[in-house]
Amino acid sequence: MMKDLIKYERQREKMVEKQIKSRGITDPKILAAFRKVPRHLFVSEALMDQAYGDFPLPIGEQQTISQPFIVAEMTRALQLDKDDRVLEIGTGSGYQAAILAEITFRVYTIERIHSLLIKARGLFDKLCYHNIVTKYSDGTTGWTDESPFDAIIVTAGAPEIPEVLVDQLAMGGRMVLPVGDQYSQNLIMLYKNEDGLHKTNLGGCRFVKLVGEHGWDQ
Ligand code: SAH
């Protein structure tokens, strides 16, 4: 409905001002993406009115859509260029992938829970994100056929940095992922160049588990 569209547009603008801009994220491309992507469509109907709040929300299957600021912070850490090809591990609701797709050339996203992937795919079609490619698989082994990637984002907490993913990063590539135990992690940013791998700790965070061959056991 038209009334709802206007209501959610206002909530998006408020979210951008109060949660993202005021916390230091000023890149116009990132802010424009957050103003555009209809976050309320990425949660169940019962939660739509909370979609623009300053917190994560459940998306079913015991998984969550991250807090808007975390999505923005991880997006910023990737330092994306419009020609970049990005790999995301953990499609979940599809919200982070949509944000990335607004900013960059192509997004490859992998999800291990089939029902979540089906829902996200439906949204990508509905919202005409033709530059998002999806795969139903264990993302901890990456996507060899499409590698190397300019950027890799892992949206679930890993016990350690999966070496295979580092291998699939291009020279000059950036990777961001939460690393730690099952209850709290640090958001780690990696930059790969000829001199090796450069690590920055962006601070504490809390994500659901990365489950797979190079992640946690089920
Ligand atoms: N980026 C998502 C966040 C979803 S939560 C969003 O914007 O909504 C993290 C997701 O990672 C969950 O859906 C979970 O099922 C998925 N996940 C966990 N381990 C995975 C793995 N090994 N491969 C692919 N997806 C995985």
Side-chain angles (χ1 to χ4, degrees), residues 48-67:
M48 281 188 182
D49 282 341
Q50 297 180 59
Y52 297 98
D54 198 8
F55 37 74
L57 285 170
I59 55 171
E61 308 284 350
Q62 292 160 325
Q63 307 303 320
T64 53
I65 176 174
S66 301
Q67 178 191 2

Side-chain angles (χ1 to χ4, degrees), residues 26-182:
T26 54
D27 180 342
K29 292 195 303 291
I30 296 180
L31 299 180
F34 279 86
R35 284 194 183 100
K36 185 165 170 201
V37 180
R39 181 171 163 98
H40 62 282
L41 298 183
F42 292 81
V43 299
S44 66
E45 212 160 338
L47 295 176
M48 281 188 182
D49 282 341
Q50 297 180 59
Y52 297 98
D54 198 8
F55 37 74
L57 285 170
I59 55 171
E61 308 284 350
Q62 292 160 325
Q63 307 303 320
T64 53
I65 176 174
S66 301
Q67 178 191 2
F69 176 70
I70 290 289
V71 178
E73 182 68 358
M74 292 176 88
T75 304
R76 167 166 71 173
L78 293 177
Q79 296 168 42
L80 296 173
D81 189 86
K82 65 176 178 11
D83 302 321
D84 283 348
R85 295 166 65 255
V86 183
L87 174 66
E88 179 192 32
I89 317 298
T91 315
S93 68
Y95 181 68
Q96 171 81 70
I99 292 287
L100 297 170
E102 289 287 342
I103 297 171
T104 193
F105 175 66
R106 187 155 289 153
V107 179
Y108 299 84
T109 183
I110 308 177
E111 174 56 55
R112 64 178 284 276
I113 299 178
H114 197 249
S115 60
L116 293 178
L117 190 60
I118 294 298
K119 256 193 243 168
R121 271 184 190 152
L123 273 173
F124 299 153
D125 285 346
K126 181 177 166 185
L127 299 172
C128 297
Y129 284 112
H130 303 303
N131 61 337
I132 301 179
V133 191
T134 63
K135 181 159 133 171
Y136 170 52
S137 155
D138 170 10
T140 64
T141 59
W143 196 326
T144 316
D145 293 350
E146 295 293 350
S147 69
F149 297 95
D150 302 297
I152 299 179
I153 175 171
V154 183
T155 64
E160 49 200 58
I161 299 166
E163 266 317 307
V164 258
L165 294 184
V166 176
D167 293 342
Q168 293 183 22
L169 205 53
M171 257 328 147
R174 292 84 54 203
M175 178 153 123
V176 60
L177 78 167
V179 182
D181 62 34
Q182 301 184 21

